[in-house]
């Protein structure tokens, strides 16, 4: 479940076969050549016989309690990655910014990115100076480190179970496509490898479903 988009959507967590990491390094895109370097890498690997699988499993929460500076940078980037969603995101964030400073910072980052012509990189250090200047201007203090036990598993499960998108969130939810079954991205992989990937993905989904039922 995504804090900034306000909906349950596709994304991480990602698991990798570590014995293929050295080969994968050769497919890392040059910095600045794409706003989706990880997707570019796995798609490139898929085309040479190393497919990836997406399981239809809700695995946790995303982008909750991020540093303000990271939220500013992330949403500056989102203005380029998801320009078609910007009007809905602005509506959502404006509606809740008075009670959620994270969404207020997100809105500032998105607005700045929408009017800037600066090249964007997937780099945590970019726009940090701008974010710190904004914090100082608003009289905000950056967050401290988040304790590992800040969210309990019970809290996370409850947040997901109680999530009911309404209004603008319902529209945002409809902007993301979901499938009932596992998606296997083949990209020219041999059938034997495709079958193996599907079986592993099916196992992950089955185990996740049983854990959810017991919880």
């Amino acid at each position: 479940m995504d804090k900034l988009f306000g909906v349950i959507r596709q994304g991480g967590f990602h698991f990798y076969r570590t014995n293929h990491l050295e080969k994968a390094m050769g497919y890392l895109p040059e910095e600045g050549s794409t706003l989706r370097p990880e997707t570019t890498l796995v798609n490139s690997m898929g085309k040479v016989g190393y497919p990836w699988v997406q399981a239809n499993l809700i695995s946790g929460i995303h982008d909750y309690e991020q540093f303000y500076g990271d939220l500013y940078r992330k949403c500056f980037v989102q203005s380029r990655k998801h320009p078609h969603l910007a009007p809905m995101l602005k509506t959502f964030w404006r509606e809740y910014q008075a009670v959620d400073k994270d969404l207020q910072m997100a809105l500032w980052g998105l607005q700045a990115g929408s009017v800037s012509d600066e090249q964007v990189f997937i780099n945590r250090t970019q726009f940090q100076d701008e974010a710190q200047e904004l914090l100082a201007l608003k009289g905000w203090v950056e967050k401290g480190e988040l304790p590992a036990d800040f969210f309990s598993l019970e809290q996370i499960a409850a947040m997901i179970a109680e999530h009911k998108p309404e209004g603008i969130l319902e529209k945002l939810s409809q902007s993301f496509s979901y499938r009932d079954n596992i998606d296997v991205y083949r990209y020219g992989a041999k059938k034997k490898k495709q079958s193996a990937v599907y079986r592993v993905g099916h196992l992950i989904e089955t185990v996740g479903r049983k854990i959810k039922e017991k919880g």
Side-chain angles (χ1 to χ4, degrees), residues 66-75 124 128 131 142:
Q66 293 282 339
F67 288 116
Y68 292 131
D70 288 334
L71 286 169
Y72 179 87
R73 174 195 55 80
K74 185 181 188 75
C75 294
R124 187 176 183 272
Q128 284 299 300
E142 182 59 277

Side-chain angles (χ1 to χ4, degrees), residues 1-7 9-12 34-37 39 62-64 66 69-90 92-93 102-103 105-116 118-123 126-127 172 176:
M1 188 168 75
D2 194 284
K3 168 69 178 287
L4 297 177
F5 287 86
V7 300
R9 73 181 186 96
Q10 299 165 346
T34 175
L35 293 177
R36 295 177 173 82
T39 298
H62 181 252
D63 273 341
Y64 283 76
Q66 293 282 339
D70 288 334
L71 286 169
Y72 179 87
R73 174 195 55 80
K74 185 181 188 75
C75 294
F76 195 112
V77 174
Q78 297 290 26
S79 72
R80 310 291 178 83
K81 290 180 69 175
H82 304 288
H84 61 295
L85 297 179
M88 286 189 287
L89 289 173
K90 287 180 180 179
F92 167 40
W93 295 343
D102 285 0
L103 299 185
M105 181 59 81
L107 180 60
W108 290 335
L110 186 73
Q111 290 173 327
S114 298
V115 299
S116 173
E118 183 174 350
Q119 184 178 6
V120 171
F121 299 92
I122 306 303
N123 187 323
Q126 191 176 21
F127 308 122
L172 274 167
F176 295 94

Side-chain angles (χ1 to χ4, degrees), residues 195-207:
S195 177
V197 170
Y198 183 88
R199 289 198 302 273
V200 171
H202 182 68
L203 176 62
I204 293 172
E205 183 188 36
T206 301
V207 171

Side-chain angles (χ1 to χ4, degrees), residues 62-200:
H62 181 252
D63 273 341
Y64 283 76
E65 298 301 328
Q66 293 282 339
F67 288 116
Y68 292 131
D70 288 334
L71 286 169
Y72 179 87
R73 174 195 55 80
K74 185 181 188 75
C75 294
F76 195 112
V77 174
Q78 297 290 26
S79 72
R80 310 291 178 83
K81 290 180 69 175
H82 304 288
H84 61 295
L85 297 179
M88 286 189 287
L89 289 173
K90 287 180 180 179
T91 299
F92 167 40
W93 295 343
R94 282 173 178 150
E95 184 175 347
Y96 291 95
Q97 64 177 333
V99 294
D100 193 327
K101 293 171 73 174
D102 285 0
L103 299 185
Q104 188 169 356
M105 181 59 81
L107 180 60
W108 290 335
L110 186 73
Q111 290 173 327
S114 298
V115 299
S116 173
D117 58 1
E118 183 174 350
Q119 184 178 6
V120 171
F121 299 92
I122 306 303
N123 187 323
R124 187 176 183 272
T125 64
Q126 191 176 21
F127 308 122
Q128 284 299 300
D129 290 342
E130 292 91 330
Q132 294 308 311
E133 290 176 5
L134 184 57
L135 287 174
L137 180 65
K138 298 297 182 180
W140 291 16
V141 177
E142 182 59 277
K143 300 176 185 178
E145 294 289 336
L146 189 70
D149 59 352
F150 186 84
F151 288 110
S152 69
L153 293 178
E154 291 75 18
Q155 285 177 304
I156 293 173
M159 291 165 67
I160 294 172
E162 295 169 4
H163 176 69
K164 296 179 180 178
E166 299 176 345
I168 191 63
L169 293 185
E170 185 175 7
K171 292 182 179 179
L172 274 167
S173 184
Q174 293 169 355
S175 298
F176 295 94
S177 61
Y178 298 93
R179 298 175 176 84
D180 294 330
N181 300 312
I182 296 170
D183 297 326
V184 179
Y185 296 84
R186 295 181 172 85
Y187 295 108
K190 295 180 180 179
K191 289 185 178 180
K192 184 176 180 180
K193 290 183 178 179
Q194 294 170 13
S195 177
V197 170
Y198 183 88
R199 289 198 302 273
V200 171

